[in-house]
Amino acid sequence: MANATAVAQHSFVREKILLGMSWKEYLRSLLTPTNAVATFILIIGVPLLVYRFAAGLGATTNLSQSAPWGLWIGFDMMTGIVLAAGGFTIGSAVQLFGLKDYHGIERPAILTAFLGYVMAVIGLLADLGRPWNIIMALFNFGTASVLFEVAWCVMCYTTVLLLEFTVPLFEWLGWKRIHSVMKKALIALTVLSVIFSTMHQSALGSLFLLAPTKLHPLWYTPYIFVFFFVSAIIAGLNMVIFESALSHRIFQSRADHHVDVDKLTIGLGKAAAVVMFAYFFLKLQSLVDGHSWGYLATGYGAWWLVEVVGFVLLPSLVFAYGARNRKVKLIRAASVVGVLGVVLNRLNISVIAFNWNRVDRYVPSWMEIWVSITLVTIGVLAYRWIVNRMPILRGDPAFPAEH
Amino acid sequence: MAYDLLSVYPAKLLEYGLGIAYLLMFIPFWRYVQGGKPAAAEVRAPAPVPAAHPVAARPAVAGWFQVPAGVHLHPGHTWARLESDGLVAVGVDDFAHKLVGPARVELPSVGAKVAQGEPALELGDGEKSVPMLSPIDGTVVAVNAAARERPDGVEDPYGAGWLFKVKAPRLAANLRQLFADSAANRFLEDASERLAMRMSPELGRVLQDGGVPIHGIGRALAGDDWDEMARTFFLT
């Protein structure tokens, strides 16, 4: 009996964790140049995270009383959350709108969203001066605060993403009974994910309603929350195109070859072209509504034009051309520009165009940059670990999908 | 810039102009995105022009063997079909049915495990029999006793001639290895071509290839060595 249990445990570890290899073989398989780069990043980044909590914000960042947030909020939090919008975008397309063709890319989109939110929360904890106070949102309902809404929605949505992720997790573990329960709950979870995402993607923009004069007039508008939500949809579409192209190339042996990724990419390219075209005109309307066309002649105006024309209108036209003529490589290239455009927008609003008229501008320190790179690296490593073991890019033969 | 009361009017004018421009530009943009040449696979073939004279365009061996819709064929000439009760019915296809002739069927017992690509049943004629592969993984839950008792072999191989039923836990993975619909027809056409080459190896297809194979064509072609020919087709 003890021997049987030991053999069973050894079999689970070997088959599930070590991919059928022994410990020695598995460790040897980790010796790759990519892992060497990741190790170098982590060796410096993880002690930096510890140092931040040991020595405080002042010792590790260039934040100050006049620049209370910086790269960790702008990049890790805001950009991380908006790039994770693929989860609710593709989830609603498949579960709510009935576009079953996109089922093959729904699970990687949800996994990317889940890891994106976890990394965003870690970045947020690193930025908070008193991170232990974050649990007070559970007890003190500061309902007049925009951040209260953001805290609750991010907390609830991360939980929803975790529950959605349990479907492939339980397939990997072979827990059939609870797996069927979670699978039946997927539609309800998708409805919740759309509700929570709509609220907090826009609420992140509502933060800047509190400080209208700190944000440059070219980026500030009373409707900034609408722009945050529409750009989240743009980020979701672009990120899914980009991520599915990468995954199906890097993890070819793990991918389901029945999924026609090229056809799905063309469909997503059409959607991205239309949404970005509409968003471009929304941007023009906000420019006119704010009477801020005079700023177009300044340096910030040129930067605004780079963001709006170069990273919204141009990829929209490229998406249109690529979708019409079925050029998948062109659509993927445009999705890279689209993702960078959303990142640029969030960094502009939270860091670059924020406090735009002060003389002591905030510039992130090297430790802030390295911690950000570390968090992205941890997310990528976690994604790779999960895809190599769980049925993310392909279905599990023991759990056939019903048609 | 400083806020100016009068600047409201040009701003409103610009806003209305932008809205109208957006609507006017969105329509051609939408039509551009949705247009484009359709994918090659989606181009419909032009309707065939009726010929002035009847033309014998069919291959000589077309239509020798049939396979209905919903049936998945294994390369070893067995078939699987998902029934309404959730079980999977298994049998031998039209080709095997005609090749072996009056067949004696050896079936697995209820409760036996069958695996895709592994021998699961036998067809016999006289003293000889050939094993056939299971198309599906699973546990046998029902056996067609009528097929075993009929002395002159199974008729209607896809209907009343089903052989056994399986509870299949890996149905989706198994079905991906099988042929269905057009792939199944193509598979049987290939088998027909190979059988025709056995009939006339020197000449190939000739003008008298208008008939269909008789029941028991294997013995008619190969005599007492019919089982060896059958094994090559049945992959056993």
Side-chain angles (χ1 to χ4, degrees):
Chain A
M1 190 59 180
N3 267 351
T5 304
V7 169
Q9 283 181 349
H10 179 268
S11 171
F12 177 87
V13 169
R14 187 188 180 105
E15 295 301 321
K16 299 291 188 180
I17 307 293
L18 302 178
L19 302 173
M21 295 179 263
S22 67
W23 274 103
K24 197 173 299 182
E25 290 165 348
Y26 180 71
L27 291 179
R28 188 178 298 117
S29 74
L30 294 181
L31 301 177
T32 64
T34 303
N35 286 344
V37 173
T39 303
F40 172 71
I41 293 172
L42 294 184
I43 279 179
I44 298 178
V46 172
L48 275 183
L49 264 174
V50 176
Y51 179 60
R52 173 259 167 276
F53 287 109
L57 281 170
T60 49
T61 69
N62 287 345
L63 302 173
S64 62
Q65 292 291 350
S66 61
W69 64 49
L71 196 69
W72 288 345
I73 291 292
F75 182 74
D76 297 335
M77 181 72 182
M78 294 203 173
T79 302
I81 282 183
V82 74
L83 294 186
F88 86 88
T89 309
I90 297 299
S92 53
V94 174
Q95 303 286 339
L96 305 184
F97 301 142
L99 303 179
K100 296 298 180 185
D101 289 354
Y102 296 88
H103 177 76
I105 56 175
E106 182 191 10
R107 285 186 176 188
I110 287 175
L111 175 60
T112 304
F114 177 54
L115 295 176
Y117 270 80
V118 171
M119 295 303 119
V121 169
I122 294 176
L124 172 67
L125 287 174
D127 183 81
L128 291 180
R130 301 179 183 181
W132 53 88
N133 276 350
I134 198 171
I135 62 173
M136 296 311 289
L138 292 170
F139 309 109
N140 291 338
F141 296 154
T143 53
S145 167
V146 175
L147 274 179
F148 171 77
E149 196 275 343
V150 172
W152 265 89
C153 274
V154 169
M155 180 168 38
C156 295
Y157 185 45
T158 308
T159 306
V160 166
L161 284 169
L162 174 65
L163 294 177
E164 286 178 320
F165 172 65
T166 57
V167 174
L169 175 67
F170 292 151
E171 287 180 12
W172 178 59
L173 296 174
W175 298 355
K176 298 198 173 188
R177 190 179 303 270
I178 192 170
H179 167 269
S180 64
V181 172
M182 298 311 302
K183 192 145 195 188
K184 290 183 173 62
L186 260 186
I187 289 185
L189 291 173
T190 306
V191 171
L192 287 176
S193 76
V194 172
I195 294 172
F196 290 136
S197 290
T198 306
M199 290 166 72
H200 72 260
Q201 292 284 359
S202 50
L204 285 170
S206 302
L207 277 174
F208 297 92
L209 299 176
L210 304 171
T213 57
K214 286 179 180 291
L215 186 56
H216 194 285
L218 282 172
W219 280 271
Y220 179 78
T221 167
Y223 307 102
I224 193 168
F225 53 95
V226 175
F227 287 90
F228 264 60
F229 178 63
V230 177
S231 56
I233 295 177
I234 292 172
L237 295 168
N238 281 269
M239 198 60 185
V240 170
I241 295 172
F242 176 70
E243 177 269 325
S244 59
L246 276 191
S247 292
H248 280 260
R249 189 199 317 153
I250 295 173
F251 303 103
Q252 274 192 40
S253 60
R254 301 285 175 176
D256 190 347
H257 299 288
H258 292 86
V259 177
D260 191 352
V261 181
D262 286 1
K263 179 186 161 197
L264 302 184
T265 300
I266 291 173
L268 292 172
K270 284 186 185 180
V274 170
V275 179
M276 292 170 90
F277 191 76
Y279 182 71
F280 172 75
F281 276 89
L282 278 180
K283 281 292 222 177
L284 292 187
Q285 284 287 11
S286 81
L287 174 75
V288 172
D289 184 65
H291 303 216
S292 41
W293 56 78
Y295 288 101
L296 289 180
T298 66
Y300 274 101
W303 190 239
W304 188 87
L305 287 174
V306 164
E307 181 201 308
V308 172
V309 177
F311 287 91
V312 175
L313 182 63
L314 181 64
S316 169
L317 299 178
V318 174
F319 273 129
Y321 178 81
R324 179 185 169 91
N325 298 280
R326 296 179 194 280
K327 296 186 186 301
V328 176
K329 285 188 168 62
L330 210 55
I331 293 176
R332 287 179 180 148
S335 77
V336 175
V337 179
V339 168
L340 292 178
V342 178
V343 173
L344 183 61
N345 172 260
R346 292 297 195 265
L347 286 179
N348 279 341
I349 289 176
S350 60
V351 176
I352 296 172
F354 193 73
N355 281 333
W356 62 284
N357 49 1
R358 292 186 61 93
V359 292
D360 52 341
R361 298 302 314 278
Y362 158 80
V363 177
S365 73
W366 73 271
M367 285 181 271
E368 289 176 87
I369 297 174
W370 203 276
V371 165
S372 298
I373 295 174
T374 299
L375 290 179
V376 173
T377 302
I378 292 174
V380 171
L381 292 178
Y383 183 90
R384 187 183 67 177
W385 194 95
I386 291 170
V387 163
N388 277 328
R389 286 159 178 81
M390 300 186 195
I392 301 293
L393 294 182
R394 49 163 176 79
D396 192 320
F399 295 85
E402 59 273 3
H403 295 288
Chain B
M1 70 193 309
Y3 189 83
D4 183 6
L5 176 63
L6 290 182
S7 67
V8 172
Y9 298 107
K12 286 301 173 187
L13 188 66
L14 268 174
E15 283 183 22
Y16 290 136
L18 261 175
I20 294 172
Y22 169 70
L23 292 178
L24 291 180
M25 292 172 63
F26 184 76
I27 294 171
F29 185 80
W30 176 267
R31 292 170 64 91
Y32 179 81
V33 175
Q34 303 299 328
K37 41 187 187 299
E42 298 170 4
V43 178
R44 291 192 191 85
V49 182
H53 307 287
V55 182
R58 297 184 315 120
V61 297
W64 276 8
F65 305 107
Q66 312 299 328
V67 56
V71 165
H72 294 77
L73 290 191
H74 187 271
H77 289 282
T78 49
W79 58 261
R81 177 177 57 214
L82 180 62
E83 302 288 315
S84 54
D85 54 5
L87 300 175
V88 179
V90 173
V92 302
D93 68 4
D94 199 19
F95 180 92
H97 167 63
K98 289 195 162 74
L99 189 73
V100 178
R104 178 187 66 254
V105 188
E106 298 288 340
L107 298 177
S109 55
V110 172
K113 299 274 189 183
V114 293
Q116 188 182 59
E118 299 292 332
L121 66 148
E122 290 189 7
L123 291 187
D125 183 11
E127 302 82 21
K128 296 185 174 180
S129 63
V130 291
M132 298 194 76
L133 310 177
S134 169
I136 211 89
D137 293 343
T139 305
V140 177
V141 297
V143 169
N144 189 3
R148 185 162 41 192
E149 293 161 4
R150 195 185 305 271
D152 57 347
V154 294
E155 295 296 330
D156 187 13
Y158 300 110
W162 66 273
L163 299 181
F164 58 92
K165 291 195 176 182
V166 175
K167 176 180 255 189
R170 304 182 71 249
L171 180 60
N174 289 151
L175 291 185
R176 278 200 282 267
Q177 313 298 322
L178 306 180
F179 306 117
D181 303 324
S182 58
N185 282 294
R186 203 174 309 118
F187 169 65
L188 287 185
E189 282 167 18
D190 291 342
S192 306
E193 295 281 340
R194 291 196 290 153
L195 189 63
M197 293 303 295
R198 302 285 289 235
M199 294 173 165
S200 312
E202 296 84 12
L203 298 176
R205 280 169 282 173
V206 294
L207 283 178
Q208 63 263 31
D209 284 351
V212 297
I214 59 170
H215 198 41
I217 189 68
R219 178 181 286 272
L221 288 178
D224 282 340
D225 294 332
W226 68 267
D227 58 319
E228 297 198 7
M229 182 179 75
R231 283 173 186 265
T232 63
F233 283 107
F234 298 162
L235 312 177
T236 54

